[in-house]
Amino acid sequence: MSNYNNAGVDMRLKINLVSQKRQKIDLNYQYFLEGFIYGQLQSSNYAFSTMLHDRGFKIYNKSFKLFSFSKLLPEKFIRDGSDMILNGNIKWYIGSPIKEFILYLCKALSSKTEICIGSCPLNILNLSIAKEIEFKRQMDFRCLSPVVVTTGKLIDGKIKPRSVSLDDRKFNENIKNNILKKYLLLKGTLPNDMSFDIEFKNIDKYKRGKLIKFKDTYLKGYEAPFTIIGNPELIKVAYDASLGEKNSQGMGFIDAINFK
């Protein structure tokens, strides 16, 4: 079992961007963000980027990319059909429990003044590493991208993944199992204290969820705020490695409330 000694440091990159003009971008831009990240890693360290893209970090028969990113968080935008028109300042967060990931990304971005997401050019105002936070046994969080949870269902004789609804008890159960796997992958062992209870708030308000088209597939996720009570080390893994599934596609990126 691998033990990633470079893991465990709070490494979260905050990128402040600005749209100088009314730039238009497809509302389903997550695929472009993922491609941009891999492109920057490739320019900084080709071997690391290739390993991450092709193989990832494996535990048993499961592979994790161990990075995620938030939605673009513009101060102002206008929805125009299937597009979003950006105007002004935009925040974007990228996180990973693997230190090299953030270092290679910072190296690639440090000399850039402009990036292009799909065909949408954006100027970089500055880069910064987000402030470290203290993890406690009870913490409140908000979602900066939808949390996706799936389960296998037998359809036409084959097991196929299907989305789990926010109000299904398996939603919370699968999240905990996913966090334990990520902890085991990062630490090489399971914690003695495996308590990790998550409670989503205002379920009726958020249970409709968000449907996101990623390349040729659709992802169903939820952005309800929540509270976690449990082992602070597991809560830290949820914060560093993100919640739920499809993290490298920009899902499950969370932020602690009252910590900026």
Side-chain angles (χ1 to χ4, degrees), residues 67-126:
F67 77 90
S68 191
F69 50 89
S70 73
K71 299 182 296 185
L72 296 177
L73 304 168
E75 287 183 341
K76 299 177 183 178
F77 74 93
I78 299 172
R79 183 165 180 166
D80 181 19
S82 62
D83 294 320
M84 179 169 64
I85 299 174
L86 301 171
N87 188 21
N89 294 337
I90 304 160
K91 294 179 182 178
W92 185 31
Y93 296 90
I94 307 172
S96 173
I98 305 299
K99 182 169 65 175
E100 278 76 3
F101 175 93
I102 296 296
L103 295 178
Y104 292 144
L105 199 58
C106 287
K107 179 182 176 182
L109 292 173
S110 61
S111 61
K112 294 185 183 297
T113 59
E114 182 181 279
I115 64 174
C116 195
I117 305 300
S119 59
C120 178
L122 298 169
N123 293 110
I124 297 178
L125 292 177
N126 56 65

Side-chain angles (χ1 to χ4, degrees), residues 203-247:
I203 289 178
D204 287 341
K205 177 181 177 180
Y206 291 95
K207 68 181 180 181
R208 182 177 178 183
K210 305 280 186 180
L211 190 63
I212 297 168
K213 185 178 181 181
F214 189 93
K215 204 172 181 181
D216 297 323
T217 62
Y218 286 90
L219 304 174
K220 183 72 173 289
Y222 303 88
E223 296 184 342
F226 58 94
T227 298
I228 303 177
I229 301 175
N231 183 350
E233 290 187 346
L234 289 174
I235 297 176
K236 177 174 170 54
V237 169
Y239 178 83
D240 289 345
S242 294
L243 213 63
E245 304 167 38
K246 311 296 183 183
N247 303 137

Side-chain angles (χ1 to χ4, degrees), residues 5-235:
N5 294 322
N6 58 353
V9 179
D10 294 346
M11 296 295 283
R12 177 167 287 205
L13 180 63
K14 178 182 179 182
I15 307 176
N16 287 314
L17 304 163
V18 64
S19 172
Q20 298 288 6
K21 300 178 182 178
R22 289 164 55 88
Q23 299 290 347
K24 183 179 289 189
I25 188 171
D26 192 302
L27 283 168
N28 295 291
Y29 52 71
Q30 282 80 2
Y31 177 67
F32 300 123
L33 294 179
E34 183 197 45
F36 171 80
I37 290 172
Y38 276 120
Q40 298 309 302
L41 290 175
Q42 189 176 69
S43 69
S44 183
N45 190 299
Y46 181 84
F48 179 84
S49 175
T50 301
M51 177 279 297
L52 190 63
H53 182 275
D54 295 346
R55 181 167 53 87
F57 301 93
K58 290 191 174 183
I59 176 170
Y60 305 129
N61 63 342
K62 180 71 174 176
S63 177
F64 293 91
K65 306 298 185 182
L66 293 180
F67 77 90
S68 191
F69 50 89
S70 73
K71 299 182 296 185
L72 296 177
L73 304 168
E75 287 183 341
K76 299 177 183 178
F77 74 93
I78 299 172
R79 183 165 180 166
D80 181 19
S82 62
D83 294 320
M84 179 169 64
I85 299 174
L86 301 171
N87 188 21
N89 294 337
I90 304 160
K91 294 179 182 178
W92 185 31
Y93 296 90
I94 307 172
S96 173
I98 305 299
K99 182 169 65 175
E100 278 76 3
F101 175 93
I102 296 296
L103 295 178
Y104 292 144
L105 199 58
C106 287
K107 179 182 176 182
L109 292 173
S110 61
S111 61
K112 294 185 183 297
T113 59
E114 182 181 279
I115 64 174
C116 195
I117 305 300
S119 59
C120 178
L122 298 169
N123 293 110
I124 297 178
L125 292 177
N126 56 65
L127 309 173
S128 63
I129 299 297
K131 179 182 177 182
E132 287 190 23
I133 66 176
E134 179 186 356
F135 293 92
K136 303 177 180 179
R137 288 202 66 85
Q138 179 170 335
M139 297 183 69
D140 296 322
F141 293 89
R142 58 177 178 153
C143 298
L144 297 186
S145 66
V147 178
V148 172
V149 175
T150 64
T151 189
K153 291 189 177 181
L154 185 64
I155 301 174
D156 298 329
K158 296 181 179 180
I159 300 293
K160 297 182 179 180
R162 287 293 180 265
S163 296
V164 178
S165 299
L166 178 62
D167 54 359
D168 189 323
R169 63 178 180 81
K170 286 185 68 66
F171 196 85
N172 290 15
E173 290 175 5
N174 287 13
I175 283 176
K176 179 178 179 178
N177 290 336
N178 178 275
I179 290 298
L180 288 172
K181 287 178 182 177
K182 289 172 180 171
Y183 184 98
L184 179 59
L185 176 61
L186 290 166
K187 305 294 186 180
T189 183
L190 286 171
N192 292 326
D193 177 5
M194 292 196 290
S195 59
F196 185 90
D197 296 314
I198 184 167
E199 179 184 353
F200 287 91
K201 311 292 186 181
N202 302 322
I203 289 178
D204 287 341
K205 177 181 177 180
Y206 291 95
K207 68 181 180 181
R208 182 177 178 183
K210 305 280 186 180
L211 190 63
I212 297 168
K213 185 178 181 181
F214 189 93
K215 204 172 181 181
D216 297 323
T217 62
Y218 286 90
L219 304 174
K220 183 72 173 289
Y222 303 88
E223 296 184 342
F226 58 94
T227 298
I228 303 177
I229 301 175
N231 183 350
E233 290 187 346
L234 289 174
I235 297 176

